[in-house]
Amino acid sequence: MTSVQYDAVIVGAGFAGIGAAIQLKRMGYENFVILDREDDLGGTWYVNHYPGLAVDVPTTTYSYFFEPNPNWSRLFSTGTEIKQYADGVADKYDVRRHMRFRTVVQGARWDEEAQAWRVSVADGETLTARYLFTATGFLSQPRLPEIPGIETFDGRVLHTTAWDDSYDPTGERVGIIGTGATAVQLIPELAKKAADLTVYQRTPIWVAPKLDFRISERAKRLFARIPLTQRIVRAITDTIYEMMINVGVVHYRVPLFRRLNISAMDLCKINQFIQVRDKDLRRRLTPDYDIGCKRPTFSNSYFRTFTKPHVHLQSDGIDHVAADGIVNADGTKTVIDTLVLATGFDLWEANFPAIEVIGREGRNLGKWWRENRFQAYQGVSMPYFPNYLSLASPYAFLGLNFFNTMEYQMRLMDRLFGELQRRGATTFEVTEQANADYLDRMTELLGDSLWTLGNCASSRSYYFNPHGEPSLLRPMSTRDAITEASEFPLSDYQIS
Ligand code: NAP
């Protein structure tokens, strides 16, 4: 066997990569490197810094289970605070020194002879590692819209993932394309300064009221002194979010739960009614698909913004972009100075997987997924890919909170690597049978979900892969996912 440089290479220094690194350390591995294309850690919370950025899950719930933060300033904290939390965790658990930034990973190939991964980076260097983790996130490959003429636009173009902090929209005519969760946060901020703002909406979004408030100094002191109090608050916010995804979406077949889903849409409509008196505007802002088909969001100011005289909703479609503005489907032109692209991310084409991964016998992961359905045992393992955990895989994401996903993935690592160490083994690979059974089970569970039974046809949701299967989210509760990750049959992996 040729010598191998690292025990592990982790691709991505966001919350998934940090979590995987902490888990490796807990299990006694110190010889690993975390590679990231950016020049700092934090993943999406480093890359995104557009005005208005805040978490849309209560921060009492938005943290690692093992590292509660008593210092959040609000229930829905700002992006800056989340980035600070990432920095704090990386320092506390001493994982920053393992990170190598400005390192673009191009691909990884399993070397059968060395029983190791060969990871190639953009400058031509190749690293070798016994284990490979891709912690590349779900929303990491920005999508640029293919709109005719967009390249001919003369003004400034800003994608929300490449925000220019020096940009000041004061007095400008701004056009923004997209009405997803990012746009819902950004539009009210742009409207405060722009002279004229036109919002190009293709698909409306369900927006619930945001119950946000400052967390008092007294509460923070209590959380710090008696951590159990914060655990209790977390249990409450976790349960509410869990109910939203599990009751309203995963078990949609149950009539009572379907009723709750309808109530959630009613709540969004009330939120809209309070803010917008114009019936036609309300109609245009209301989705015609069921809530939960795509990720809903929260805001108390989004709808109201459209009632301001200088803010316009354009929902008839874009024909093309011209040098000085946007030509609408009806032939009219809106002249703009700046075009903001809140057009989201390319999950299925560019992100699954985010780098080229070639496993045993030359199996190409991206090609295999596309030709054989998107699938991953426990959301992390695929046959023919030994010693590899893909943390951003089909069926990996547990709905609304990324940290729940991280928690089960860390427990799975604990069980799997614990067994390797116990046996003195160095390789693992999920069996074809275990993987096939897992995919069958996911398919069966999805049969009861809103994504199968509900009205999702017009939602254009990234939960669905290009073949129309809702194979992004794991259709089960966090508790079940954690139990499975802690108790899965070890015989599901071939360990040697
Ligand atoms: P998104 O939900 O994918 O929304 C992209 C928007 O751009 C959609 O309205 C989409 O319309 C529109 N769009 C894309 N291409 C278009 C085109 N060619 N022409 C017209 N419209 C086009 O992306 P996002 O808003 O960035 O949010 C992505 C996810 O990030 C969210 O679901 C959420 O999970 C997460 N997020 C979280 C937070 C937070 O926690 N603070 C904040 C922001 C985002 P269609 O719907 O018609 O495709």
Side-chain angles (χ1 to χ4, degrees):
M1 226 182 255
T2 47
S3 73
V4 174
Q5 275 173 289
Y6 294 104
D7 290 332
V9 164
I10 299 172
V11 184
F15 279 122
I18 294 170
I22 292 171
Q23 187 59 40
L24 281 176
K25 278 176 165 283
R26 282 179 182 166
M27 295 179 305
Y29 298 98
E30 283 293 336
N31 179 26
F32 65 87
V33 63
I34 306 171
L35 309 175
D36 199 293
R37 66 188 177 191
E38 303 297 334
D39 51 16
D40 198 358
L41 62 81
T44 193
W45 295 105
Y46 173 65
V47 171
N48 285 284
H49 42 88
Y50 57 82
L53 175 66
V55 71
D56 62 4
V57 173
T59 31
T60 43
T61 273
Y62 201 78
S63 54
Y64 292 109
F65 280 31
F66 59 88
E67 190 57 34
N69 175 13
N71 301 316
W72 297 123
S73 67
R74 322 185 54 84
L75 190 61
F76 292 87
S77 296
T78 61
T80 313
E81 266 189 85
I82 313 275
K83 166 70 173 96
Q84 283 164 0
Y85 173 71
D87 284 330
V89 175
D91 289 336
K92 179 172 173 183
Y93 291 86
D94 192 27
V95 296
R96 194 189 286 268
R97 70 186 168 85
H98 295 270
M99 293 175 178
R100 243 177 81 174
F101 296 111
R102 290 173 291 278
T103 306
V104 177
V105 177
Q106 289 183 320
R109 178 180 282 275
W110 175 250
D111 181 336
E112 188 66 30
E113 197 190 312
Q115 293 284 291
W117 284 95
R118 301 178 73 78
V119 180
S120 42
V121 293
D123 64 3
E125 191 187 359
T126 300
L127 311 178
T128 55
R130 183 77 57 217
Y131 305 109
L132 172 68
F133 296 84
T134 44
T136 42
F138 298 96
L139 304 165
S140 54
Q141 314 294 343
R143 179 169 52 200
L144 299 173
E146 287 170 14
I147 298 173
I150 196 157
E151 68 293 342
T152 66
F153 182 61
D154 264 350
R156 183 197 294 257
V157 180
L158 281 173
H159 192 281
T160 52
T161 55
W163 198 258
D164 176 354
D165 291 330
S166 67
Y167 170 59
D168 180 2
T170 303
E172 281 208 352
R173 295 162 298 184
V174 180
I176 177 169
I177 301 178
T179 50
T182 299
V184 167
Q185 294 182 336
L186 180 56
I187 286 166
E189 296 303 314
L190 288 175
K192 284 179 192 164
K193 293 187 172 175
D196 195 83
L197 177 67
T198 305
V199 177
Y200 291 85
Q201 168 190 275
R202 187 163 64 183
T203 310
I205 183 168
W206 287 110
V207 184
K210 189 170 183 176
L211 191 70
D212 191 16
F213 51 81
R214 279 200 151 277
I215 298 177
S216 70
E217 291 304 318
R218 188 191 282 190
K220 288 186 209 169
R221 280 198 299 274
L222 182 69
F223 290 162
R225 232 178 271 150
I226 312 172
L228 180 66
T229 53
Q230 194 173 13
R231 296 255 173 223
I232 292 168
V233 176
R234 178 175 188 152
I236 296 167
T237 49
D238 274 2
T239 306
I240 294 170
Y241 269 69
E242 196 68 13
M243 294 266 289
M244 281 164 57
I245 192 90
N246 257 298
V247 176
V249 177
V250 174
H251 298 293
Y252 188 76
R253 192 180 285 282
V254 180
L256 172 67
F257 296 171
R258 213 173 311 152
R259 185 63 242 165
L260 283 172
N261 192 284
I262 294 168
S263 304
M265 290 191 275
D266 289 342
L267 181 68
C268 295
K269 285 182 188 162
I270 292 169
N271 187 33
Q272 197 188 67
F273 184 79
I274 292 168
Q275 297 177 50
V276 179
R277 310 312 307 181
D278 178 335
K279 204 171 167 185
D280 182 56
L281 181 57
R282 280 205 306 272
R283 182 187 55 76
R284 292 196 293 144
L285 287 167
T286 306
D288 61 359
Y289 56 87
D290 288 337
I291 193 168
C293 291
K294 72 197 298 183
R295 191 178 165 113
T297 191
F298 303 84
S299 174
N300 300 331
S301 55
Y302 175 67
F303 291 128
R304 186 170 291 117
T305 303
F306 290 94
T307 65
K308 295 183 193 299
H310 68 298
V311 179
H312 322 285
L313 176 67
Q314 177 54 255
S315 56
D316 294 332
I318 297 171
D319 184 75
H320 68 276
V321 178
D324 59 347
I326 296 184
V327 179
N328 308 308
D330 63 7
T332 58
K333 187 200 270 182
T334 307
V335 176
I336 55 170
D337 304 303
T338 293
L339 175 59
V340 176
L341 303 176
T343 45
F345 302 87
D346 185 347
L347 267 87
W348 296 102
E349 289 308 325
N351 208 52
F352 280 136
I355 58 165
E356 184 177 68
V357 183
I358 312 284
R360 213 158 45 71
E361 296 182 21
R363 181 175 281 187
N364 179 310
L365 181 58
K367 198 163 173 283
W368 182 72
W369 268 339
R370 277 158 191 78
E371 290 172 359
N372 298 276
R373 297 176 67 194
F374 288 90
Q375 54 196 287
Y377 171 80
Q378 298 283 345
V380 291
S381 288
M382 289 73 55
Y384 284 74
F385 294 90
N387 288 10
Y388 174 39
L389 295 182
S390 167
L391 305 183
S393 282
Y395 303 117
F397 190 37
L398 283 181
L400 295 170
N401 182 3
F402 189 77
F403 287 98
N404 294 352
T405 303
M406 246 356 268
E407 181 64 22
Y408 88 74
Q409 294 188 336
M410 290 172 78
R411 293 196 195 206
L412 183 139
M413 282 175 68
D414 189 55
R415 178 162 172 80
L416 183 57
F417 284 84
E419 184 62 11
L420 286 170
Q421 291 177 341
R422 201 180 61 75
R423 292 196 204 174
T426 51
T427 60
F428 66 85
E429 182 182 323
V430 70
T431 66
E432 295 216 60
Q433 190 61 50
N435 177 64
D437 291 348
Y438 194 82
L439 179 58
D440 284 350
R441 194 152 61 83
M442 291 303 106
T443 308
E444 196 186 323
L445 290 175
L446 283 169
D448 286 340
S449 75
L450 164 94
W451 302 309
T452 304
L453 301 172
N455 167 25
C456 291
S458 62
S459 64
R460 285 181 175 268
S461 166
Y462 64 74
Y463 291 173
F464 294 81
N465 70 32
H467 307 299
E469 279 185 300
S471 52
L472 180 68
L473 269 64
R474 175 95 61 95
M476 65 172 61
S477 68
T478 301
R479 183 198 286 236
D480 287 349
I482 287 177
T483 305
E484 282 194 10
S486 315
E487 297 176 3
F488 63 86
L490 289 162
S491 56
D492 284 355
Y493 283 92
Q494 202 165 7
I495 292 174
S496 54

